Amino acid sequence: MASSISYLFVTLILSIISLLACTSNAQLSPTFYATSCPNFQRIARDEMTKAVNRQPRNAASILRLFFHDCFVNGCDGSVLLDDTATFTGEKNAGPNRNSARGFEVIDAIKTRLEAACNATVSCADILAVAARDGVALLGGPTWTVPLGRRDARTASQSAANSQIPGPSSSLATLISMFAAKGLTAQDMTVLSAFATTRRTTCPATGGDANLAPLDQTPNRFDNSYYQNLVNRRGLLHSDQELFNGGSQDATVRGYSTNPASFARDFAAAMVKMGNISPLTGTDGEIRRNCRVVN
């Protein structure tokens, strides 16, 4: 009976939301760790607070890690895996090499959780909660994070190179790549404020590891990114594509003048992105160390 009900529920959802084959939160629950690790979110928030106080950029770094994790075969913590002599992860894929950072923050949370409730909380869930807390700590919205993801035992550098939108992408390409993950054009527009990071000063040679913010308020979560687009000050080609006489102009203009609307839609899109193809049940594993498979 239970399996029949579950089947009917999934069928109903699939009939309502297009492309939901890419997302699945039926087995995720905000209370997943209520008894097995009740202090999980308190520990994660504590470590994120330390990290953001130490370097506010850590909030955006964790957000970007979460985005790059979810866009490559789902939100499964694969982006956190290190390369080894026998394993190729995603950290050296083009979109991540010399720009993905914040791994030590996830390590710190995981270390404390292993001491509090070992082999219980997945690295994928740690990343999802840390991303939410980083936004809130910079003055942005908060949201309830569905939990119960498990960690991948594999990674795909080739998928990271092909599935993460690049800074030179056209609007049509951006919409198509987000749609492939079950996300709408509006989701794409509201999430684009953190999806990419630009190089700073662009020296003729060197400086490849240097980073700079996408807007003038890198230490505060606000809607200035969209104000810049309306003023034709997008720093990346893919940024200004969002406001360039196309289908997203009205959405960008709306977010540029209504920060509450932006915050609300951003929170909703983050939940939706966090539901992309999670590993649940007995799939995957609960890593003891987020950088290596067990």
Side-chain angles (χ1 to χ4, degrees), residues 101-122:
R101 57 193 66 227
F103 300 106
E104 73 286 348
V105 178
I106 303 302
D107 291 341
I109 298 172
K110 183 61 172 174
T111 296
R112 286 187 59 183
L113 287 172
E114 285 299 298
C117 38
N118 68 297
T120 301
V121 181
S122 69

Side-chain angles (χ1 to χ4, degrees), residues 48 82 137 214 240 245:
M48 277 302 296
D82 285 344
L137 287 165
L214 284 168
Q240 200 58 62

Side-chain angles (χ1 to χ4, degrees), residues 15 53 95 107 132 142 194 220 241 294:
S15 70
N53 286 343
D107 291 341
R132 185 270 313 274
T142 189
F194 75 89
R220 189 172 71 248
E241 279 286 287
N294 293 340

Side-chain angles (χ1 to χ4, degrees), residues 47-58 104-105 108:
E47 288 300 321
M48 277 302 296
T49 299
K50 293 176 185 177
V52 172
N53 286 343
R54 183 171 64 249
Q55 174 54 263
R57 185 177 74 181
N58 280 325
E104 73 286 348
V105 178

Side-chain angles (χ1 to χ4, degrees), residues 8 26 46 88-89 107 123-125 136 141 154 158 185 187 216 229 233 238 254 265 279 293:
L8 290 173
D46 183 51
T88 301
D107 291 341
C123 300
D125 276 344
T154 61
S158 61
D187 295 328
Q216 288 77 29
L229 296 185
R233 294 175 182 168
S238 58
D265 290 352
L279 297 174
V293 297

Side-chain angles (χ1 to χ4, degrees), residues 143 208 258 270:
W143 56 91
D208 288 343
N258 191 335
M270 284 294 292

